[in-house]
Amino acid sequence: MSAIDITLKTAANEHPIDHLLRADRLPHILCPGCGIGTVIHGYAHAIAASGIPEDNHVCVSGIGCSGRAAGYVNVDSYHSTHGRALPFALGIAVHRPELKVTVISGDGDLSAIGGNHLIHAARRNVDLTVICINNFNYGMTGGQVGPTTPIGARGTTAPEGAVEAPFNLPYLAKATGAVFVARWTILHVREFQDAVLRAMQKKGFCFIEVLAPCPTSFGKSNKIGDGLHEVEIYRERCRIENGAANIEDFDIDLVDETKPIVVGNFVDIERKIFQAHKR
Amino acid sequence: MVETLSADRPPARIDDEARRTQPRVRTGVHFMLGDHACAEGALAAGLDFFAGYPITPSTEIAEHLATRMPEVGASFVQMEDELASMAAIIGASAAGARSLTATSGPGFSLMMENVGLAAMMEVPCVVANVQRASPSTGLPTMVGQSDILQARWGSHGDYGIIAYCPASPQECFDLTVEAFNAADRYRVPVFILMDEIVGHMTERVIIPEASEIPHVPRKKPDFSPGAKRFLGYAADDDLVPPIAHAGEGYKVHMTGLTHDEKGYPAMSPDTHHQLVNRLVDKIRLNASAIERYEEFELDDAEVVVVSFGCTARSARRAVREARAAGIKCGLLRLITVWPFPEGRIRRLVEAGKVQRFVVPEINLGQLRREVERLTNLPVRRLNHAGGSMPKPDEILELIRS
Ligand code: SF4
């Protein structure tokens, strides 16, 4: 068989979510061992399972490695500016409420430069699903610390270790009004996918933090050799506490190996969703 | 026909039925604030979505729309800041909305980030900037005309935009309608560079019948979704590509990264060169269709006053008085400052009658710089830094000198 024969696909051997990826954009830019691909995979599966017509799904990203997610999914997709994915998505969601708008972006994009938009989108309860890929650092620019970097973890702008208290993102989302809040890791493929699906089927501001390895930048500074190594940390230290009320206690501590990383679906409530005074 | 004479605002408290019957186009003769005329112009143009943040002296636009938009089934959102406002109107427009934000200097500065995104993604949108005395917080309640160059060059990099400068509440209405049409026609961000005086001036505004409001639709794909791949950045001869919206099934991708015809990131200097040149050329090469200016007593003029916005009102009076005193003087009033009507100024110079130009403006010489670029003739300037407008006498003195 020639190489061309092998790459030619028939309908029979296509993967069921192939058509949800922009195959003409491959190969992607993500590093080996990066967790972002698994997140995109989960998002695509949730689209397929959502029962919402694919043409009604819209993906919006900000800037950074995670911000590239929008460029790989074969739905109407927008790669906006750094931090502004949420207000950009609000414009779409408010103007066309029948669309299912999902924001996929990174921890730095959504909680640092976009932090103000995050709290206000949650407060308004805009009908958006937000997937926040948290790899504890700025990956694309080479591993600087950010507002999610655990105290003591190193980055190129904190060579002796981060000294600032990081955000506990699920707690932040809950406190500011999100109606669905979850934290998973890319090890929890099923649970993450189910959480995204739940968020898509729910009206209102849904926030899912997903921990993902960044071996190239965060791993390198913190002696986490490769993606698999970080996934092993998740396996050893993650504790599932669905419905837990005390998410303010669920800070992530990567230095103290005795502390659990608590994951789960934490919040699932109903609250009036945002409508822009439309009659 | 226009026959009614109405108060500017709809009644403050009206029952639901009355609300529902408020028309989108308030045809009639009104005594109307410039800021409100801008808002009514936007509604008449088919405004679907407004996102903004309160800022003097533009706030009346948002306040008026907060009342009016629900009446016509459109969406009004007060955002957390101007970064968000600009991002939101681009998102809404990408989903097919005619969208607007309104601001003034400090907010305009914050919007520059996403003005670049709108230019790069080629998403039509309209920004009304009611200019106040600047820089920084400046004189928030007082007039300025000092965002002229920022409007053209404010975001990083090269791109083209369109900017209108209304000189009256009537023009606030008319040019807002035109701004939406130009934004959709050329897939660009369009600015309405008002100023505090025009925005806060109340004058007669005539709003025509809805059927007489010009409407230029966006250029759309000419095939149904799925038939083939839609190329959202493959431009026609006019350098403007067709646009598909979120939810229409064309699987568009839009990015602020340098991109190919599909909209996909393409990290090459060649692609970048082509794209950036097209973004600039689609305005530059269509400039004669976009440019708008008014000529007053120009035919035999030896002294030409070039002016715009509220300052042009003083300039017109000065020109009239100069004529009465026997001076061959005329006014070129810019209605679009961008694209700047270079051709008209060149023709005036080439015709050989003009001996000098006079440029009064409420900044330290932003427009004068443009005029000087086009001629070796003397260009006299009259600059107020902000907070007050050039008076007819001051301009007349310069015309005489
Ligand atoms: S730098 Fe980190 S986050 Fe970015 S692609 Fe590489 S591994 Fe992933």
Side-chain angles (χ1 to χ4, degrees):
Chain A
M1 222 190 232
S2 74
I4 290 175
D5 289 333
I6 292 165
T7 52
L8 271 179
K9 285 181 186 154
T10 64
N13 67 14
E14 247 182 44
H15 191 278
I17 58 162
D18 271 3
H19 69 287
L20 286 167
L21 298 176
R22 295 185 189 265
D24 53 348
R25 286 221 52 216
L26 301 176
H28 55 70
I29 63 156
L30 307 171
C31 306
C34 177
I36 295 170
T38 310
V39 174
I40 296 173
H41 166 271
Y43 172 56
H45 270 285
I47 289 177
S50 67
I52 300 164
E54 285 171 11
D55 284 352
N56 281 10
H57 280 277
V58 179
C59 184
V60 181
S61 281
I63 297 294
C65 296
S66 305
R68 291 301 191 95
Y72 295 114
V73 288
N74 195 23
V75 296
D76 288 324
S77 53
Y78 301 89
H79 180 220
S80 68
T81 35
H82 200 15
R84 316 301 165 221
L86 283 171
F88 192 104
L90 176 147
I92 300 172
V94 166
H95 181 59
R96 296 281 310 274
E98 72 280 20
L99 299 181
K100 189 38 72 182
V101 185
T102 301
V103 170
I104 305 180
S105 219
D107 48 309
D109 185 83
L110 286 165
S111 77
I113 190 166
N116 197 32
H117 311 310
L118 176 63
I119 61 176
H120 287 281
R123 173 182 64 78
R124 288 187 184 100
N125 201 20
V126 190
D127 186 23
L128 293 174
T129 294
V130 180
I131 300 171
C132 176
I133 305 174
N134 182 1
N135 53 24
F136 306 117
N137 82 140
Y138 291 95
M140 185 163 271
T141 45
Q144 298 75 33
V145 293
T148 54
T149 310
I151 290 179
R154 291 169 201 272
T156 57
T157 47
E160 302 299 324
V163 293
E164 297 176 15
F167 271 139
N168 168 344
L169 291 175
Y171 181 39
L172 178 69
K174 179 186 178 183
T176 49
V179 292
F180 179 82
V181 179
R183 174 194 280 157
W184 294 104
T185 78
I186 61 138
L187 173 69
H188 302 86
V189 177
R190 284 286 154 158
E191 291 92 337
F192 167 66
Q193 226 165 270
D194 289 347
V196 177
L197 185 60
R198 172 73 189 133
M200 281 178 179
Q201 289 171 342
K202 203 174 159 67
K203 282 274 175 197
F205 191 81
C206 299
F207 183 87
I208 300 157
E209 176 185 31
V210 54
L211 307 185
C214 167
T216 306
S217 295
F218 187 75
K220 192 180 61 192
S221 298
N222 290 284
K223 301 200 172 67
I224 303 173
D226 56 16
L228 190 59
H229 182 174
E230 187 162 329
V231 172
E232 270 164 13
I233 296 175
Y234 301 155
R235 186 168 55 81
E236 281 160 18
R237 294 185 45 198
C238 281
R239 194 171 76 209
I240 299 177
E241 285 194 31
N242 285 319
N246 57 327
I247 59 178
E248 63 270 33
D249 300 332
F250 300 165
D251 285 336
I252 295 170
D253 187 333
L254 284 184
V255 178
D256 181 351
E257 290 175 12
T258 63
K259 291 231 176 98
I261 299 169
V262 182
V263 296
N265 296 324
F266 302 134
V267 175
D268 195 339
I269 58 168
E270 300 300 325
R271 196 160 73 83
K272 189 173 175 296
I273 71 155
F274 176 72
Q275 276 171 321
H277 315 294
K278 209 167 183 172
R279 203 171 62 212
Chain B
M1 265 315 291
V2 286
E3 53 226 349
T4 53
L5 188 67
S6 80
D8 180 1
R9 283 165 176 279
R13 287 279 171 271
I14 45 179
D15 62 37
D16 284 354
E17 190 48 42
R19 276 183 96 88
R20 268 191 290 276
T21 54
Q22 287 289 314
R24 188 178 257 280
V25 181
R26 290 176 60 202
T27 303
V29 182
H30 305 264
F31 188 52
M32 191 175 273
L33 190 75
D35 278 356
H36 291 175
C38 169
E40 288 294 337
L43 287 161
L47 179 69
D48 298 299
F49 182 90
F50 176 92
Y53 186 82
I55 184 167
T56 306
S58 78
T59 311
E60 295 86 351
I61 297 176
E63 288 174 337
H64 194 73
L65 289 171
T67 303
R68 288 280 282 131
M69 291 182 80
E71 292 171 358
V72 301
S75 302
F76 174 93
V77 192
Q78 182 170 319
M79 299 300 293
E80 54 273 23
D81 59 30
E82 289 90 346
L83 303 162
S85 305
M86 192 65 210
I89 68 164
I90 300 170
S93 177
R98 276 200 155 181
S99 63
L100 172 76
T101 186
T103 191
S104 188
F108 199 50
S109 292
L110 289 183
M111 287 175 183
M112 283 303 144
E113 171 194 65
N114 287 309
V115 164
L117 182 71
M120 191 67 152
M121 280 187 171
E122 299 181 73
V123 175
C125 52
V126 178
V127 178
N129 173 7
V130 188
Q131 297 169 89
R132 67 194 217 187
S134 295
S136 191
T137 313
L139 298 172
T141 61
M142 295 184 188
V143 70
Q145 289 183 319
S146 49
D147 305 347
I148 300 298
L149 292 183
Q150 187 184 20
R152 178 65 190 87
W153 307 107
S155 200
H156 50 287
D158 292 306
Y159 54 91
I161 52 91
I162 299 170
Y164 295 93
C165 276
S168 65
Q170 181 69 55
E171 276 197 344
C172 290
F173 180 91
D174 296 341
L175 295 179
T176 301
V177 173
E178 192 164 324
F180 277 98
N181 286 336
D184 282 0
R185 171 69 187 83
Y186 297 103
R187 279 186 72 172
V188 282
V190 175
F191 304 126
I192 308 162
L193 291 177
M194 297 161 62
D195 54 58
E196 187 276 333
I197 288 179
V198 167
H200 283 169
M201 170 190 294
T202 302
E203 268 188 352
R204 181 181 155 104
V205 172
I206 300 174
I207 300 182
E209 297 285 348
S211 59
E212 287 163 29
I213 306 283
H215 182 82
V216 179
R218 293 183 188 178
K219 200 193 292 180
K220 302 287 299 169
D222 57 4
F223 56 91
S224 37
K228 56 181 174 177
R229 181 142 232 357
F230 172 60
L231 300 177
Y233 294 92
D236 300 324
D237 288 346
D238 62 359
L239 304 181
V240 183
I243 188 168
H245 302 137
E248 290 178 345
Y250 290 94
K251 316 272 174 161
V252 298
H253 184 63
M254 290 186 164
T255 174
L257 284 167
T258 297
H259 44 269
D260 61 17
E261 293 187 336
K262 287 180 190 167
Y264 290 175
M267 303 292 100
S268 90
D270 284 350
T271 313
H272 190 71
H273 182 83
Q274 276 174 25
L275 174 61
V276 174
N277 273 286
R278 186 173 62 74
L279 295 180
V280 172
D281 284 348
K282 75 175 173 179
I283 300 304
R284 194 174 64 87
L285 300 179
N286 289 309
S288 58
I290 303 168
E291 270 168 24
R292 299 257 275 106
Y293 48 82
E294 183 200 348
E295 303 186 7
F296 177 64
E297 307 272 17
L298 266 192
D299 287 347
D300 60 344
E302 291 168 0
V303 182
V304 172
V305 183
V306 183
S307 193
F308 62 99
C310 71
T311 305
R313 299 170 72 105
S314 286
R316 186 188 305 271
R317 164 115 168 242
V319 167
R320 237 188 251 125
E321 284 173 12
R323 281 276 168 186
I327 303 169
K328 287 185 177 167
C329 178
L331 171 68
L332 179 67
R333 181 172 73 88
L334 305 186
I335 298 172
T336 55
V337 276
W338 308 114
F340 186 76
E342 327 190 333
R344 186 65 192 102
I345 295 204
R346 284 217 173 86
R347 285 197 304 281
L348 278 170
V349 173
E350 279 156 18
K353 287 184 196 140
V354 180
Q355 289 166 10
R356 62 180 187 273
F357 289 90
V358 171
V359 184
E361 52 189 326
I362 312 174
N363 64 58
L364 298 191
Q366 300 189 14
L367 196 75
R368 174 178 54 99
R369 180 185 166 282
E370 286 300 303
V371 178
E372 279 175 345
R373 190 167 66 76
L374 299 167
T375 175
N376 291 323
L377 293 169
V379 180
R380 299 269 158 75
R381 65 198 184 111
L382 175 58
N383 301 120
H384 284 212
S388 64
M389 72 186 288
K391 291 173 190 60
D393 287 354
E394 295 175 89
I395 301 172
L396 185 59
E397 201 173 307
L398 219 63
I399 292 171
R400 286 181 195 277
S401 65

